């Protein structure tokens, strides 16, 4: 059974058709009996009221269906940049993915971002070029954008039959047969390749075979011997290349018109990995139901009926009533119920085995990223999903004083369900501050407080998360920390070189802390044992402490290179505490001496607007301190790309619509930090 499971995600940019494709999967596999539509608010996976109101996916939703004797566990992920952490948590537990691309737009900003996320997790992918029924749809242009924008080797295994409104089917280049759909029909017919496309199909198959042979040794051997590849060899080679991440199989169709979906389901089964195809999560924990239980909690939700924890089982078998060990907290938890999840609906299950994705009821303290193991086996701890640091904050408070405690409880639940939301109390104002990944992210969180928790809250204007970075280097700064209060004292002398850290700095043997890049590098150049190694580590810890607030405006400091060049110790009074304190105070003095520069978060904005409004859009972007990086025109539509300070984009959606009569759209993605002007 382990070879008959596929755990996959649906990834894409906003409006590329992820949710519609998921709906077609469910309908054609018999999991649902009616096709849901995003515009009607009738989809299975977009079940939250906010998703239906806004017409976008906000929360990842898990569903299951069966196809050709295989169980497909799908997670429909958000496409908006503000909810990238939902994608990150899903990719951490998935074995494969289908990346969906618009046949007109090709690779869009957020589809590129989720592709890079999948690269980091090593998730094998298929590409599905959707919306071939649209005006100006072009498979070849979309495929070329995969090659140039994503740096991958696309392997188109289909040729469209017809174009735009006349798109009626696809030619399977692996088996050289045609699949055609009649207008208004949910079924397709398989037959020979149409004579009008026979020569083109032969040319494209030969190009496919040549590319595969150049990448796969066994295929190359057969190609050299026979000048072509048979169906079995080509299919096997395509699967190997997909699993290795050396190429991506490309299929095409129209999810809305229900064309090309069945061949895509076949490709999911044929090319994406089963849990047993992947290496063991640990050397002694293979994807085997008889191995010791190992599961990762990747999502926590609170429902009216209780708390649910979503698990991916990597090894072993979990049964109702089992007691498991949470290796993150050291607590034992009892599994009261095991649930198969179909978006917002669940069914009871008596057990779950390696490879399954299920929800459980019972654990009270397990949080996102927790590892649950068999309590009678050696404990292991799996790498948790990494949450991005928040960049936008708002002050929030209950309108009525009696709701203050309820608000605190609700905010704690929100941050538990979504670790990319953080809650803190401002030490100066005493206000409660809610931070997230974007303006829309916070809007959704606040609306959830109002709807799900029935709280009347007031919200302050959004604020961005600034950073500081060294403006100049300081060499040979000597700091003496000497303290004597009676008894054992504190003595530490450190000599530091402090310099700005630019992106070109390579790995030089130092240690680095990363926040989307190398933000702090520490190394020791002390010779002769003048500072023992345990004190060197204490100096590094003290320097990290000093990065919490900078001298300019108290913002966190980033982009720092620190080199410990010398120091001195005392035979009795030197300790790790003394050197940690010296490291902290020395770096603070160095930052004050050299000065720091204020950094602000910037985003890459892609605006799609009618050609007649380009001047208006450009003028508005310039007023927002934008730096235009690209401009292209297709037909009567212009696409502008710019880097803009995040703080200048608050309210931009409404402003853009009003200036272009609602005809322009835009998307954003994080682009790091830049000096504030």
């Amino acid at each position: 059974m382990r070879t008959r499971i596929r755990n996959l995600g649906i990834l894409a940019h906003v409006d590329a058709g992820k949710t519609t494709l998921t709906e077609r999967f469910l309908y054609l596999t018999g999991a649902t009996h009616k096709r849901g539509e995003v515009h009607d608010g009738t989809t299975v996976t977009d079940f939250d009221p906010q998703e239906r109101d806004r017409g976008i996916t906000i929360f990842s939703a898990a569903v299951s269906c069966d196809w050709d004797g295989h169980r497909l566990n799908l997670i429909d992920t958000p496409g908006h940049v503000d909810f990238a952490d939902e994608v990150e948590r899903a990719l951490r537990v998935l074995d494969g993915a289908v990346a969906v691309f618009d046949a007109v737009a090709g690779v869009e900003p957020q589809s590129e971002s989720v592709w890079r996320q999948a690269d980091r997790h090593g998730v094998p992918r298929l590409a599905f070029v959707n919306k071939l029924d649209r005006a100006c749809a072009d498979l070849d242009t979309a495929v070329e954008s995969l090659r140039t924008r994503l740096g991958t080797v696309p392997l188109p295994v289909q040729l469209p039959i017809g174009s735009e409104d006349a798109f009626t089917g696809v030619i399977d280049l692996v088996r050289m047969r045609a699949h055609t759909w009649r207008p208004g029909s949910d079924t397709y017919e398989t037959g020979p390749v149409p004579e009008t496309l026979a020569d083109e199909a032969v040319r494209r198959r030969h190009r496919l075979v040549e590319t595969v042979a150049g990448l796969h040794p066994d295929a190359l051997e057969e190609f050299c011997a026979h000048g072509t590849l048979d169906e079995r060899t080509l299919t096997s080679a395509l699967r190997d290349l997909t699993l290795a991440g050396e190429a991506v199989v490309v299929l095409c169709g129209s999810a809305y018109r229900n064309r090309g979906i069945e061949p895509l389901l076949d490709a999911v089964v044929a090319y994406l990995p089963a849990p047993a195809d992947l290496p063991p999560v640990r050397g002694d924990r293979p994807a085997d139901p008889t191995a010791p239980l190992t599961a990762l909690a990747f999502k926590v939700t609170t429902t009216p009926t209780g708390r649910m924890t979503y698990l991916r089982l990597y090894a072993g078998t979990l049964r109702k009533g089992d007691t498991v060990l949470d290796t993150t907290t050291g607590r034992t938890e009892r599994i009261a119920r095991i649930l198969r999840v179909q978006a917002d609906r669940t069914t009871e299950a008596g057990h779950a085995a390696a490879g399954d994705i299920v929800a459980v009821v019972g654990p009270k303290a397990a949080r996102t990223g927790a590892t649950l193991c068999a309590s009678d086996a050696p404990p292991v701890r799996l790498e948790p999903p990494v949450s991005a640091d928040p960049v936008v904050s708002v002050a929030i408070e209950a309108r009525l004083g009696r709701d203050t405690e309820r608000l605190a409880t609700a905010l704690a639940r929100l941050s538990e369900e979504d670790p990319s939301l953080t809650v803190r109390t401002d030490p100066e104002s005493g206000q409660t501050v809610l931070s997230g990944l974007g303006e829309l992210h916070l809007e959704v969180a606040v609306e959830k407080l109002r709807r799900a928790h029935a709280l009347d809250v007031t919200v302050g204007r959004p604020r961005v998360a600034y950073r500081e970075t060294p403006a100049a280097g300081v060499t040979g700064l000597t700091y003496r920390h000497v303290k004597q209060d009676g008894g054992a004292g504190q003595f530490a002398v450190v000599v530091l070189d402090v310099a700005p850290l630019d992106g070109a700095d390579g790995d030089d043997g130092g240690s680095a802390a990363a926040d989307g890049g190398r933000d702090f590098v520490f190394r020791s150049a002390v010779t002769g044992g003048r500072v023992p190694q345990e004190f060197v580590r204490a100096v590094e810890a003290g320097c990290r402490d000093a990065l919490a607030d900078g001298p300019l405006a108290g913002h966190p400091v980033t982009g720092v290179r620190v080199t410990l060049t010398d120091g001195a110790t005392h035979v009795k009074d030197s300790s790790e505490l003394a050197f940690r304190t010296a490291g902290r105070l020395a770096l603070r003095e160095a930052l004050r001496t050299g000065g720091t520069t204020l950094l602000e978060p910037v985003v890459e904005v892609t605006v799609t607007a009618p050609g007649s409004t380009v001047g208006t859009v450009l003028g508005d972007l310039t007023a927002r301190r934008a730096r235009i990086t690209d401009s292209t025109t297709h037909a009567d539509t212009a696409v502008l790309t710019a880097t803009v300070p995040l703080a200048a984009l608050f309210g931009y959606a409404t402003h853009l619509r009003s200036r272009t009569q609602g005809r322009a759209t835009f998307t954003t993605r994080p682009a790091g930090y830049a000096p504030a002007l």
Side-chain angles (χ1 to χ4, degrees), residues 365-522:
R367 299 180 68 90
T368 299
T371 303
L372 302 184
C373 294
S375 56
D376 57 352
V380 299
R381 188 169 179 180
L382 304 181
E383 181 182 355
V386 178
S387 291
D389 286 342
V391 295
V392 181
S393 302
V394 293
I396 187 168
E397 63 181 15
R399 191 177 297 275
L400 301 177
R402 64 172 181 266
D403 289 337
T404 301
E405 290 189 10
R406 287 182 57 222
L407 175 61
T409 301
L411 288 172
R413 287 185 178 178
L414 279 185
S415 59
E416 183 181 43
E417 294 179 358
D418 183 355
S420 59
L421 285 171
T422 62
V423 182
R424 63 181 176 85
T425 301
D426 188 293
E428 295 182 2
S429 66
Q431 290 179 307
T432 299
V433 178
L434 177 65
S435 304
L437 301 183
E439 195 174 4
L440 179 59
H441 191 206
L442 293 180
E443 283 181 17
V444 168
V446 171
E447 188 63 22
K448 192 168 185 179
L449 289 174
R450 291 172 174 151
R451 291 189 183 190
H453 299 277
L455 284 165
D456 188 6
V457 297
T458 58
V459 180
R461 189 179 184 277
R463 297 178 299 172
V464 300
Y466 291 95
R467 297 286 187 268
E468 297 180 32
T469 193
V474 176
T475 303
L477 185 142
T478 302
Y479 189 89
R480 293 173 55 86
H481 176 64
V482 181
K483 185 176 181 181
Q484 190 71 49
D485 294 330
Q490 295 185 29
F491 180 92
V493 178
V494 296
V495 182
L496 301 181
D497 289 348
V498 179
L501 176 65
D502 61 50
D505 287 312
D507 188 359
D508 56 6
S511 59
D515 176 17
R518 292 166 60 85
D519 291 340
F520 173 66
V521 171
F522 179 91

Side-chain angles (χ1 to χ4, degrees), residues 319-366:
R319 292 181 175 81
K320 178 180 177 180
D322 281 355
T323 298
V324 298
L325 173 67
D326 181 348
T327 58
T328 308
T329 62
R331 291 184 48 164
T332 57
E333 302 274 12
R334 183 177 179 276
I335 305 300
R337 300 165 64 199
I338 300 175
L339 305 172
R340 302 280 179 189
V341 180
Q342 199 75 347
D344 59 338
R345 301 188 301 274
T346 60
T347 56
E348 293 270 358
H351 72 281
D356 278 337
I357 293 178
V358 296
V360 296
V361 176
K364 293 180 173 56

Side-chain angles (χ1 to χ4, degrees), residues 11 23 28 34 38 104 147 151 201 217 220 246 251 302 327 362 371-372 387 456 470 498 533 604 622:
L11 314 174
E23 288 296 316
L28 292 172
K34 183 180 180 181
V38 173
V104 177
R147 189 190 318 276
L220 178 61
E246 297 179 12
L251 300 98
T302 303
T327 58
T371 303
L372 302 184
S387 291
D456 188 6
V498 179
Q533 188 60 38
E604 182 184 86
T622 302

Side-chain angles (χ1 to χ4, degrees), residues 13 41 49 70 94 123 127 192 210 240 250 343 347 352-353 382 393 470 527 533 568 570 572 609 612 677:
H13 186 87
H70 293 72
L94 293 173
V123 176
E210 283 186 326
D240 291 344
V250 182
T347 56
L382 304 181
S393 302
T527 58
Q533 188 60 38
H570 186 277
K572 291 184 178 179
S612 60
L677 300 177

